[in-house]
Amino acid sequence: MTDTTATAAATDHADPSVRITHDQGVTTLTLDSPRNRNALSTRLVGALHAALDAAAADDTVRAVVLAHTGTTFCAGADLTETTGGAPLDAVLGLVRLLRAVVELPKPVVARVTGHVRAGGTGLLGACDIAVAGPGATFAFTEARLGLAPTVISMPLLPRLDPRAVGRYYLTGERFDAAEAARIGLVTVAADDVDTALAPILDGLRQGSPQGLAASKALVTAEVLRTFDRDTEQLAAESARLFASAEAHEGMTAFLERRAPRWAR
């Protein structure tokens, strides 16, 4: 999918970290923060949330595509913002973003051609449909940093294979698009992402606004119940972990490109 087409017109946006284009009823939100590999900084989270709100209010939009520039879809938390600890309000800001994707009354489709790490997998898991190409890789790296996939588990655990989650949450191993499709993290692993996306987007364009919203509500109901039940507990746990000495060492070691003290 190109960022612009003959029938698409770019929309001015206050924050260039999320670029917005429209094409025949589909709004594409392209994460474009290469300096930090599209990490979930306060700035990016805010810009993406605003763009989702605008798409929800636009009656001409049938679906939203979440895409990215560069070789990384999303690197997870912006560690340069969190090495001093993540305040609870910052954690809740991420929760609100993930829930906004799940609650959006329009399907959200991820187009992934690059790497997805840690919190980026939560953003991916919140999407209704995800197509990943051969260049995509995935990893839950939190345990290696003294953290855990706390709040991102709310959109992930109801949808993923439990045995696979047990392995990848604990080991931090990388896996490819085919494995991501097998465990339920993505919908389709494709050699050509745009070829695979074409019939999906054509189908969504034919859906009525009411029909799409009601159908999405059926398949996201369990995920939203998880948010209702677990947000307070998991957000508090996330803030506690980020403020810990182990997490400070893990994140500092990552930024300094060295092994943390506990690694063997």
Side-chain angles (χ1 to χ4, degrees):
M1 177 177 296
T2 57
D3 293 324
T4 57
T5 70
T7 57
T11 299
D12 289 336
H13 196 271
D15 192 328
S17 63
V18 176
R19 294 192 285 109
I20 305 174
T21 58
H22 304 281
D23 182 17
Q24 301 179 60
V26 175
T27 289
T28 297
L29 308 180
T30 301
L31 307 184
D32 188 17
S33 183
R35 65 177 180 81
N36 63 359
R37 300 188 303 150
N38 295 323
L40 294 167
S41 63
T42 302
R43 174 186 178 189
L44 184 69
V45 168
L48 187 53
H49 208 150
L52 289 168
D53 286 345
D58 189 340
D59 291 339
T60 68
V61 176
R62 290 292 173 270
V64 173
V65 170
L66 192 58
H68 64 98
T69 59
T71 59
T72 301
F73 174 78
C74 180
D78 187 341
L79 299 185
T80 63
E81 292 185 351
T82 57
T83 51
L88 183 59
D89 58 354
V91 175
L92 290 173
L94 174 58
V95 172
R96 286 190 291 271
L97 173 62
L98 298 178
R99 183 160 189 155
V101 175
V102 176
E103 284 189 318
L104 195 77
K106 302 171 185 188
V108 180
V109 181
R111 179 188 184 275
V112 183
T113 60
H115 310 303
V116 189
R117 297 289 182 269
T121 63
L123 182 59
L124 180 61
C127 297
D128 303 290
I129 300 169
V131 178
T137 68
F138 308 83
F140 300 98
T141 54
E142 288 89 346
R144 297 185 179 190
L145 301 177
L147 303 168
T150 49
V151 297
I152 67 168
S153 286
M154 291 188 284
L156 289 172
L157 292 185
R159 292 171 161 167
L160 301 188
D161 174 80
R163 299 300 286 180
V165 168
R167 172 181 178 176
Y168 293 122
Y169 268 26
L170 295 174
T171 66
E173 295 171 85
R174 295 181 185 181
F175 52 97
D176 62 13
E179 177 69 352
R182 185 190 72 81
I183 70 175
L185 182 58
V186 304
T187 313
V188 178
D191 291 334
D192 187 311
V193 171
D194 293 323
T195 297
L197 275 173
I200 293 171
L201 297 181
D202 286 345
L204 295 177
R205 287 185 176 103
Q206 296 178 49
S208 80
Q210 175 176 275
L212 290 171
S215 297
K216 175 169 177 172
L218 291 173
V219 297
T220 58
E222 182 57 34
V223 175
L224 289 174
R225 282 191 287 268
T226 302
F227 273 90
D228 291 338
R229 183 189 67 219
D230 296 338
T231 289
E232 183 177 356
Q233 174 189 345
L234 291 178
E237 174 69 354
S238 179
R240 182 189 72 80
L241 290 170
F242 269 104
S244 69
E246 276 195 22
H248 184 269
E249 163 62 12
M251 291 185 287
T252 300
F254 178 83
L255 292 172
E256 294 177 352
R257 299 190 178 187
R258 61 173 174 84
R261 287 194 295 266
W262 58 75
R264 294 290 183 269

